[in-house]
């Protein structure tokens, strides 16, 4: 009987995981160009995409930190594409106002090698489940990302380093028989040292997300 119950429980867990939306934690296929905005399409060997707030999906990551720009690390001169590893937290959920569940946290030693190309991030080939969502459907995500591993939280990084938040964005997902989807819905993101008012709002947003996620576990 115990063996049967154990088997049924394991099967239920597998079905529950497969029944939720899944993603790959990368934006490898993104070019930073959407509806003609954002600069030349990036192929890995040509062009130098330019940050644009009009790029609301298919986005790349840019930075105003000269020492972290891909152009200063061997790529096209003047490129502001991110060229270093980052720390990040990805939150998600079934609706825009429920994108508060932690999908993945990549901080500290885990970040080595996650910047696999210019303006692109990736964390292995693992599948990540977006909690409380439906497989092979639209999910809503929010990315908090900051340079390097000097800071252990986004709030600390936003107060003293280069950091950015994507805002909530819609993204396709996989699950069941469908392959997970990468971060196609991610907008262009740019690292900057923000104004004090922006710092306060960013820190507050990160704190509220963490508190809501903690409460959901209770």
């Amino acid at each position: 009987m115990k063996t049967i119950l154990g088997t049924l429980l394991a099967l239920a867990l597998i079905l529950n995981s497969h029944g939720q939306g899944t993603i790959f934690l990368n934006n490898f296929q993104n070019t930073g160009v959407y509806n003609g905005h954002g600069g030349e399409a990036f192929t890995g060997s040509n062009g130098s995409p330019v940050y644009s707030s009009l790029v609301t999906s298919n986005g790349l990551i840019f930075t105003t930190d000269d020492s972290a720009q891909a152009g200063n690390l061997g790529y096209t001169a003047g490129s502001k594409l991110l060229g270093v590893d980052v720390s990040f937290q990805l939150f998600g959920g079934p609706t825009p106002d429920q994108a508060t569940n932690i999908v993945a946290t990549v901080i500290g030693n885990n970040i080595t090698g996650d910047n696999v190309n210019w303006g692109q991030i990736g964390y292995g080939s693992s599948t990540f489940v977006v909690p409380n969502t439906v497989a092979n459907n639209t999910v809503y995500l929010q990315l908090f990302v900051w340079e390097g591993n000097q800071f252990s939280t986004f709030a600390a990084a936003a107060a003293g380093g280069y950091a950015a938040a994507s805002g909530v964005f819609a993204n396709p997902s996989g699950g069941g028989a469908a392959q997970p989807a990468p971060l196609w819905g991610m907008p262009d993101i740019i690292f900057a040292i923000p104004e004090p008012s922006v710092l306060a709002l960013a820190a507050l947003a990160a704190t509220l997300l963490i508190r809501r996620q903690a409460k959901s576990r209770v």
Side-chain angles (χ1 to χ4, degrees), residues 118-188:
W118 302 277
Q120 298 173 339
I121 59 171
Y123 188 60
S125 57
S126 299
T127 296
F128 291 86
V129 173
V130 183
N132 305 321
T133 60
V134 177
N136 198 22
N137 209 329
T138 299
V139 297
Y140 292 87
L141 305 173
Q142 184 163 197
L143 182 66
F144 291 85
V145 58
W146 61 100
E147 189 178 302
N149 58 6
Q150 179 182 356
F151 301 98
S152 59
T153 67
F154 174 79
Y162 287 87
S166 66
V168 176
F169 59 91
N171 205 80
S173 75
Q179 276 280 93
L183 302 179
W184 284 317
M186 189 187 90
D188 267 358

Side-chain angles (χ1 to χ4, degrees), residues 58-196:
N58 195 33
L60 296 171
I61 302 179
F62 300 78
T63 181
T64 58
D65 179 3
D66 291 341
S67 66
Q69 292 172 0
N72 291 326
L73 299 171
Y75 186 56
T76 306
S79 171
K80 291 188 176 183
L81 289 165
L82 179 73
V84 298
D85 288 331
V86 294
S87 293
F88 55 88
Q89 283 191 301
L90 182 68
F91 294 80
T95 65
D97 62 343
Q98 292 179 311
T100 56
N101 304 287
I102 290 181
V103 176
T105 299
V106 181
I107 297 174
N109 293 333
N110 292 330
I111 72 171
T112 303
D114 70 83
N115 182 266
V116 296
N117 215 322
W118 302 277
Q120 298 173 339
I121 59 171
Y123 188 60
S125 57
S126 299
T127 296
F128 291 86
V129 173
V130 183
N132 305 321
T133 60
V134 177
N136 198 22
N137 209 329
T138 299
V139 297
Y140 292 87
L141 305 173
Q142 184 163 197
L143 182 66
F144 291 85
V145 58
W146 61 100
E147 189 178 302
N149 58 6
Q150 179 182 356
F151 301 98
S152 59
T153 67
F154 174 79
Y162 287 87
S166 66
V168 176
F169 59 91
N171 205 80
S173 75
Q179 276 280 93
L183 302 179
W184 284 317
M186 189 187 90
D188 267 358
I189 297 172
I190 187 165
F191 284 3
I193 302 292
E195 297 294 327

